[in-house]
């Protein structure tokens, strides 16, 4: 029987390989092409204002558009603090933030492991 770490890795790989429904994991994690550095800076500043004012969803949309990983990580931290780990996982994954996404994958693997044992 596989250990939890192996189950977490298998689950992570299956998530990546699967066709995941829209809304869970963005199909492409590349920022929108055609944006200049200056445009990205302006958009990220606007997103930071949204985030600081509590408009997390609009900030997230901009961060995804610009590919701003630090902003996406802050959104993921917000979701984790509000006990929404799947939403956090999505933005951590888009931000290429393995440090914060791996524990979520491991938690999911633990749940699946305990279900399998029953």
């Amino acid at each position: 029987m596989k250990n939890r770490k192996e189950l977490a890795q298998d689950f992570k790989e299956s998530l990546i390989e699967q066709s995941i429904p829209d809304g869970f994991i963005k199909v492409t994690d590349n920022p929108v092409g055609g944006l200049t550095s200056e445009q990205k800076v302006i958009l990220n500043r606007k997103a930071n204002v949204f985030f600081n004012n509590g408009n997390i969803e609009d900030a997230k949309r901009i961060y995804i558009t610009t590919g701003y990983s630090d902003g996406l990580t802050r959104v993921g931290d917000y979701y984790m603090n509000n006990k929404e780990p799947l939403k956090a996982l999505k933005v951590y994954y888009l931000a290429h933030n393995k440090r914060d996404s791996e524990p979520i994958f491991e938690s999911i693997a633990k749940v699946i492991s305990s279900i399998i044992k029953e």
Side-chain angles (χ1 to χ4, degrees):
M1 180 153 206
K2 293 184 177 183
N3 65 37
R4 287 185 177 145
K5 191 167 188 157
E6 291 169 326
L7 285 171
Q9 184 63 31
D10 288 349
F11 181 76
K12 177 181 165 186
E13 289 171 4
S14 71
L15 269 181
I16 293 167
E17 291 171 3
Q18 289 180 38
S19 170
I20 298 171
D22 289 342
F24 184 72
I25 299 287
K26 188 170 168 263
V27 176
T28 178
D29 60 356
N30 295 324
V32 172
L35 290 176
T36 65
S37 295
E38 293 81 16
Q39 289 170 323
K40 288 181 184 182
V41 168
I42 291 167
L43 286 170
N44 287 333
R45 286 182 181 159
K46 184 171 186 163
N48 289 338
V49 170
F50 283 148
F51 185 87
N52 292 333
N53 289 330
N55 190 344
I56 306 305
E57 296 307 311
D58 286 339
K60 178 178 80 172
R61 281 196 298 272
I62 294 172
Y63 294 144
I64 290 171
T65 300
T66 62
Y68 184 47
S69 60
D70 288 346
L72 289 168
T73 295
R74 286 191 288 137
V75 171
D77 293 344
Y78 170 85
Y79 287 141
M80 285 303 290
N81 290 333
N82 286 286
K83 301 185 188 313
E84 297 181 273
L86 289 179
K87 286 184 176 182
L89 179 60
K90 176 182 177 178
V91 291
Y92 288 150
Y93 181 80
L94 292 174
H96 303 279
N97 185 334
K98 290 183 180 185
R99 183 194 71 208
D100 291 324
S101 63
E102 290 295 328
I104 299 170
F105 282 124
E106 288 181 18
S107 294
I108 292 169
K110 287 178 190 176
V111 169
I112 292 170
S113 178
S114 68
I115 290 170
I116 291 171
K117 287 180 184 178
E118 292 179 2

